[in-house]
Each structure stands twice: as structure tokens, then as C-alpha cells.
Amino acid sequence: MVWIKRLSLLVAGLLAFIVVLLAYVMLFVNPNDFKDELKSVALEKANVNLRLDGDISWSFFPWLGLELENLGVALGSDAEILQFDRAEFGLAILPLLEKKIQVNKVNLVNLKASLNKDAQGQGNWQLDIPESSTSLSEAASGSLSATATPSVEESSESATPVNLPDIQLDELRIENAQVTYRDEQTKQLINATFNVQLNDVQWDKAWPMAMDVALTQSDLQGNTPLQLKAKLNANLAVFPERESLSLDSLVLSGGVSSDALPTSPIEVKLSATNIDLDLPQENVLVEGLAFSTLGVNVDAKIQAYQVLSSPQFSGVLSVGEFNPRYLMTRLNLPIPDMSDNTALTKARANITFEGSLDSIIAQPISITMDETKIEANAVVDLSPLRWDVSIAGKNLNLDRYLPTPVEASPEDVVINKDDGVASNTSADGAEQNSNVAGAVQNSGDVGELIPVDLIRSLNGHVGVVFEGLTVKKIKIDKIELDSTQARGLVKIYPLRASLYKGNITSKVSLDVRGNTPIVDISPAIDGVQIQPLLVDFMDMDKVAGATYLNGELSARGNQIDALMSSLQGDLLVEIKNGALVGTNLTKTVCEGIAAIRKESINEDQFGPDTPFETMRFPAHIVNGKVSTPGLKISSAGIQVTGDGVISLPDSSLNYQANVGIAGSELDKACRVNAKLTKLAFPIVCKGQFSDDPAGLCRPDIKGFGKLFANLAKDELKLKLEAEKVRLKEKEAELKAELEVQKQAEKARLETKLAAEKARLKAEFEEKRQAEAERAKEKLKEKLKSLF
């Protein structure tokens, strides 16, 4: 017990000595007397020039405090790199005995830092260490190299955990800090002014932090500056034993200004409920992340694992409803020319994703654009870039987002009185049918239809199922397609679509690997109502009926008109239970018959269309011009064959149909006999698709005249043939009568001759008998005389 008492007295005496010594130092020692010595030591040992123009104040108990005023720091012979108007801190003495660091304040006022990097990348903050220090460092490095250097794994395994002392910092304040960074390599100049305040800093506890910064970035001459102002508030907690930290209630707000930006300023706000960082596990968790700018609000939750070694991540991203048109206006971006001013005014999205540095999986993806809803799944491989995407959507009218079509000005229509055919002519009488095509071509050359550069960059697979799709006015009830893209070659197979009460299946190939895009299509149509499709697609209302088609098509170009003018292929077409809309071929034939007879018909008694049971024809397409040799239309009242050219680039047709009719009881001017029902009357249809259908087709009067002239010639020929037959028959009758008379006379003469012969024979026989009797009598008399 005695030695304990003596030890206590010794410690008490030592403490008393220290207190007396500290009191002496504080009372009788002026720290300003050591300025020159401090400057000399800093210059000699570290090549640092200190400027200590202000007073130095210190305290030793119960706080070890230091306050410096008007302080400057320079490295070597360079200009000062750091300046302080005032720097002060206070450290509690007694807690140090318990391995606790308690600081009541750290305050830096009007900090100024000037950082420069020359063209060789050398920074003015990099020390030029004196030779003595260099020798010491070389000796130390030599001694270290003489021993085996453990690997990173060995050192990490053998290293003992560092027991950090407890820290309690009541306040850390940096007031009006100004930092200038000049970089000759990157030719940029950065000026930053910031304030930082931390309160109640302790391990394993959250402490509030606040910071505001104003930053300007420009070139070395100060041109094209980019200005940033931001404020940060958060609660920061550091857990040394777990080697982790946490930020909660994070709010970052600010704005960016620059003439180089599309709009200025851009206000931004970022907040997060909680951000956790686990250093040993390399994990980051961000919850309640919210970002907003220019009317766009984004909420997210992100998890990242092994971020330093093998990063993997997952998250949920939600973009609240916003107005894309307003966003583009705020960014001073040109809004594309769209036919609907209400398009692109509502959008929102939700994405769930996960991935790594090798691939990203996003499923599901939910996007709403105006009235269009899209659900998608995507798998993207990053090296090399390739994707596999599945899309399902509803209600998309692409025409709303496309420019309004430019309509060509119509040409004057002049009627050729010789044949009754309409033709487009200029003022001097020269035909100008190509003008309409040129106007349409010019209207179609507004922009490229196919994004060639984008398609050349594609590499992957896309599957699409869409309901309620409208494109180029074509209304598609449902479309399904499977597409592969490989660096400029896009193949779509199969492609199935339900539209206009029918179905289409097709195989499509788009090749943009060359200078001109090439499109190949193998279509098959089953029961599609052709009239509403043509009306919607090209405003052509000429044919109605259920259409069945098979064939091969190809086209080249990057505008609608270029594709149509280069269209090549062959089709086999059949239309059932249809009609030639706006054209009554029976009426047209009757008009021709009445014109030949110099009569007129009652047009009110004829319907506007020509209904038919079937229309069949092969279509041969060359440069967008469709010829239909072998066309045949079957109907109860008419039989039609025809051929001609339908020009898609010119939106025109030049066609002749040969119509046979059974006659009409509606009008006396159209009465026909059996001979006329055997004729095929020529009708010419010529003009633009936009022309009035009722005037598009007219009878070929010359053809009708030739037809009736030929009919008259045929009738005269028939009469001549009949007369020849009658004469031949009369001649035959006469010959027959003569022959009969001849035969009768011959028979009479033969009978008379036979009778004469019989008489003579009878007379001869009588005479012979008489002579025989006389001879016999004579013989008897002679015999009697003998005896």
C-alpha cells in the first residue's frame, strides 16, 4: 500500500508540475516570438514558405487551442498556394488520456487556395523535397526493398484492425473558402467559393452537415463560362468498426447557367431518404432517391454490390408524368413538325432493372406516351452491344407525330374532244402529266423516311405485338412481328397483321448496308377490304371488295415517293364481291351507244358503281407502274377484260376496259339486240387518283364507231354470205330438178324401149311360131308325099 501511495503522490506532483509549467508558458511565453523559427523550420524541412503576418494565440488547458490570423503558405519559390484570414481550433486535454479526441471547434475563415497545373501536368501543390529528406526517403525505400514485400492479400490478412480514437467535434466551419484551379493541359479554369458547416461530429452517430458552393468553369481566358450554384444538407454518420457510412435526409438543390446550354439557368433538385455505403462488402444502397428538373420528376431506388471489384446493380426507376413538348421548349430544342399539336404532351415511365458491366436486364418497362401504352422487356449485352427486346403496346397513331403531308397543287384539266379523254396540259397546250408527279415527289422529299445511320448501328432481336396502330392513315387492328437486326440488315419474319376485316402475312427485308436502302416484301393478303385501305393510305376510292393477294415486291429509296417510283414485282390479285366505285360501266357503255345513235340516256336510272362477283388479274410492276394484263371481271350484267397502267408515282391511271353487257331495260337509248350483247365495248379510264370518279372513265367514241362500223360490215358480209348460200341452194335445186327430170325421161324411154323390145320379141316369136308351124306343115306334106 505504501508504494501505491508514493506512486499517487508522484503522479499528483507530476500533474502539478505540468499545470504550473502550462501556466508559466501561457503567462510568460509569447508564441509570436517563434514566428521566425517556425518559418525557418518549415522552409528547411519541407521547402514551405510560411507567411505569419497576424497574431498567434494559444491556450493549453483545459483546451489546447490555437488561433492564427493572416496566414499564407507557399511551396518553394512559387506564389502562395493557401491563405487564411483566420484559422482556429480547440482540443480538450483531459479526454486525450482516455484516447478520446474532443474538439470544440475548427474554423477556417476566408480560405483562399490557388492551384495550378502546367502543360506538363506538374501541380504547384506537389512538394520539392529537400536533398536531406530525399536521402532519408531513398534510404528508407532501400531498406524496405531489402526485405520481402508482402502481397496485398498477405498484408490485408496480417493487418490488425486500426482502433480509431473516439472523436467529438462540436463544430467544423469553413467560411467563404475560395479555390482557383488553373489547368494548362486541359485549358480550363475553375473558380469555386464554398461554405461548409458540420455540427456534433461523433462516430456511430448522425451529425448534420450543410454546404453551399458557387462554381464557375471556363477556358483560360474566362470565355464560355459555366456557372453552378448548389446547396447541400444531410445527416452523415460514420461507423469505423463496420467501415461504413450513411447519409440520410439528403437534399441537394442548385442551378446551372451557361450560354452553351440550351437554356439557362437549369434548376435541379436531388434528394435521398438514405444512402448507405459498406466498404468491406463494397455495397451501396440508395433509397428514396428523387431528382427533378425542368418539370421532370424521377424517383428511384438503387442497390449496387461489389462496386470496386465486380460491380452489380439493381433498381427501380420511375419517371412521373411530364410534358415532353414543354421540356423541349424549355431546352430551346426544335419541336419536330407534327400533324397534331396535342401530341407529345404527356409521358411517364417505370423501369425495373438489374445488371453488371457485361449486361443489363430491364423488365418490366412500362411507358405511357399520350394515349399510347407500352410494356416491354429488354436484355442488353454490352460487350459486344446486342439486345433482345419484347414490346407489347396499345393505341399508337404514328401519323400524329409525323409532319403534315404537303399536297401538290392540281394542274388544269382539259378535255380532249376527239376521244373524250381527260389530260393535264399547260397553258401552251403541252402535256404536263409529269408535273403532278414532280410536285408529289418534291412533297415527299421533305425528310428521310428510314434512319439509315441508326439502323446500321442496330444489332439484336426485337419482338413486337401492338394493338390499335395507325401509320400513314392505315388502321391496323393488331400487328405481330419478329425482327432481327445485324449492322444494316433488318429481317422481319413472320409479320402478321389484322386490318380492314382481313389478315396480312408477310416477310420483309430492309438492307441499308449500301448507299440506297433496299426493301424486299413477300406479301400475302387474305380477305382485306381494299376500299377503306386505299382511301386511308392514298386517298384512292376506286375499288371495293375482299382482296386476296400473293406475290413478291422490291423497292429502293428513302422517301415514300422514291420507294413508290422504284417499286418492282409481280402480284396475283383476286377481289371478291366488290365494285368499281364511282364508275358504272353499264352506264358508260350506254352513253357510247346513245352517242352513236345521236340519242341521250336518262342518267338517273343508273347507279354510281359497277358491282361484280370476282375480279382477277396478275399485276406486273415496273418502276411503280402497275400493268394488269389478263384482267377479268365477272358479273351478272357485264363481262369485262382489260389492260393498262396504274402509275403510283404519278397517282394516275391510263387504262382500257372492254365491256360486254347483256343489255339494259332501263333506258330505250340503251336497247341492244342479241348481236350487240356479243360485243366488247371499249372504255378508257385516264386521269389522276384525285379526279372525280364519275368523270374518270369515258366511252371510247372512236372505238365505239369502229365497233359499230365493223358490226355493219359483218352484217353486210353475213347478208352476202347468206345470198351466196341461197343462190347455191337454188342452183342445187335446179340441178336436182333437172336430174330428176332426166332420170324420169330416162326411165320413160327405158320403159318404152323395153315395151318395144317386148313387142318385137313377141312379134318375132309369133312369126317364128308361125314359120315353125308352116315348116312343120310342109314337112308333114312332104312326108305324106313320100309315103
Side-chain angles (χ1 to χ4, degrees), residues 395-697:
N395 303 326
L396 174 59
N397 186 348
L398 286 176
D399 293 347
R400 297 179 62 193
Y401 305 94
L402 297 177
T404 303
V406 180
E407 296 183 359
S409 58
E411 297 291 329
D412 293 334
V413 178
V414 178
I415 304 299
N416 189 329
K417 296 182 179 180
D418 293 336
D419 56 8
V421 178
S423 62
N424 294 323
T425 60
S426 62
D428 60 357
E431 293 194 357
Q432 298 294 327
N433 286 331
S434 60
N435 288 353
V436 175
V440 176
Q441 178 72 27
N442 293 335
S443 68
D445 290 340
V446 174
E448 292 188 345
L449 177 67
I450 302 171
V452 173
D453 294 336
L454 173 62
I455 293 178
R456 286 174 179 169
S457 67
L458 301 181
N459 180 32
H461 166 265
V462 176
V464 177
V465 178
F466 229 104
E467 297 180 2
L469 176 65
T470 300
V471 54
K472 290 295 181 181
K473 296 184 180 180
I474 298 177
K475 300 177 182 64
I476 302 173
D477 300 327
K478 184 177 181 180
I479 185 171
E480 301 176 67
L481 64 86
D482 195 82
S483 171
T484 57
Q485 310 90 44
R487 308 301 182 188
L489 178 61
V490 178
K491 293 183 178 180
I492 303 175
Y493 181 76
L495 185 152
R496 291 185 289 268
S498 300
L499 67 165
Y500 300 100
K501 300 181 181 180
N503 300 294
I504 293 178
T505 59
S506 184
K507 181 178 181 180
V508 181
S509 172
L510 171 61
D511 190 347
V512 297
R513 293 175 294 183
N515 294 329
T516 303
I518 301 174
V519 182
D520 293 309
I521 306 176
S522 301
I525 299 177
D526 183 13
V528 173
Q529 293 296 322
I530 190 65
Q531 182 186 18
L533 188 150
L534 292 177
V535 169
D536 290 341
F537 179 59
M538 54 196 309
D539 198 22
M540 176 181 177
D541 183 10
K542 301 294 184 288
V543 183
T547 303
Y548 302 83
L549 177 148
N550 286 283
E552 299 285 340
L553 298 173
S554 65
R556 302 169 63 92
N558 206 358
Q559 290 86 26
I560 287 291
D561 298 302
L563 290 169
M564 293 176 68
S565 62
S566 66
L567 187 64
Q568 315 282 338
D570 290 283
L571 301 172
L572 181 60
V573 183
E574 180 177 10
I575 303 176
K576 297 180 179 180
N577 300 321
L580 300 178
V581 180
T583 300
N584 189 317
L585 295 181
T586 302
K587 172 189 171 185
T588 305
V589 172
C590 289
E591 288 177 337
I593 294 173
I596 295 298
R597 293 173 175 169
K598 301 187 183 305
E599 298 177 355
S600 61
I601 65 171
N602 185 357
E603 296 185 358
D604 295 336
Q605 297 183 2
F606 295 89
D609 307 328
T610 302
F612 56 81
E613 284 81 26
T614 60
M615 176 193 288
R616 294 186 181 92
F617 60 90
H620 182 59
I621 306 171
V622 177
N623 297 330
K625 296 182 178 181
V626 185
S627 59
T628 58
L631 178 139
K632 184 177 181 181
I633 300 176
S634 299
S635 177
I638 62 172
Q639 296 291 323
V640 181
T641 60
D643 191 13
V645 174
I646 300 172
S647 177
L648 299 179
D650 299 341
S651 298
S652 65
L653 72 160
N654 187 352
Y655 210 84
Q656 177 172 324
N658 300 310
V659 183
I661 64 173
S664 174
E665 300 296 332
L666 297 176
D667 197 295
K668 293 181 179 180
C670 194
R671 63 191 183 278
V672 295
N673 54 33
K675 295 178 181 179
L676 293 183
T677 60
K678 298 178 181 179
L679 299 180
F681 293 92
I683 295 176
V684 175
C685 299
K686 188 173 183 179
Q688 300 299 124
F689 293 165
S690 58
D691 293 346
D692 183 9
L696 194 62
C697 295

Side-chain angles (χ1 to χ4, degrees), residues 3 224 458:
W3 66 271
T224 63
L458 301 181

Side-chain angles (χ1 to χ4, degrees), residues 323-325 338-347 369-371 400-401:
N323 188 329
R325 188 182 286 261
M338 292 180 284
S339 59
D340 187 351
N341 292 330
T342 64
L344 212 66
T345 55
K346 292 190 299 182
M369 178 69 73
D370 298 326
E371 286 75 34
R400 297 179 62 193
Y401 305 94

Side-chain angles (χ1 to χ4, degrees), residues 110-126:
N110 294 334
L111 165 67
K112 296 180 180 180
S114 180
L115 307 177
N116 299 317
K117 180 184 286 188
D118 60 22
Q120 288 72 37
Q122 181 72 22
N124 65 342
W125 61 89
Q126 294 173 318

Side-chain angles (χ1 to χ4, degrees), residues 290-302:
F291 173 82
S292 62
T293 183
L294 300 176
V296 179
N297 299 308
V298 181
D299 296 323
K301 177 181 178 181
I302 301 174

Side-chain angles (χ1 to χ4, degrees), residues 681-730:
F681 293 92
I683 295 176
V684 175
C685 299
K686 188 173 183 179
Q688 300 299 124
F689 293 165
S690 58
D691 293 346
D692 183 9
L696 194 62
C697 295
R698 296 177 178 274
D700 184 356
I701 302 300
K702 288 184 178 179
F704 271 63
K706 290 179 182 179
L707 196 64
F708 279 98
N710 291 334
L711 179 61
K713 289 180 182 179
D714 291 341
E715 288 182 349
L716 180 60
K717 186 177 180 180
L718 289 175
K719 288 181 179 180
L720 292 175
E721 292 295 333
E723 186 65 22
K724 286 181 180 180
V725 171
R726 189 186 67 80
L727 292 176
K728 286 183 179 181
E729 290 177 351
K730 186 66 175 177

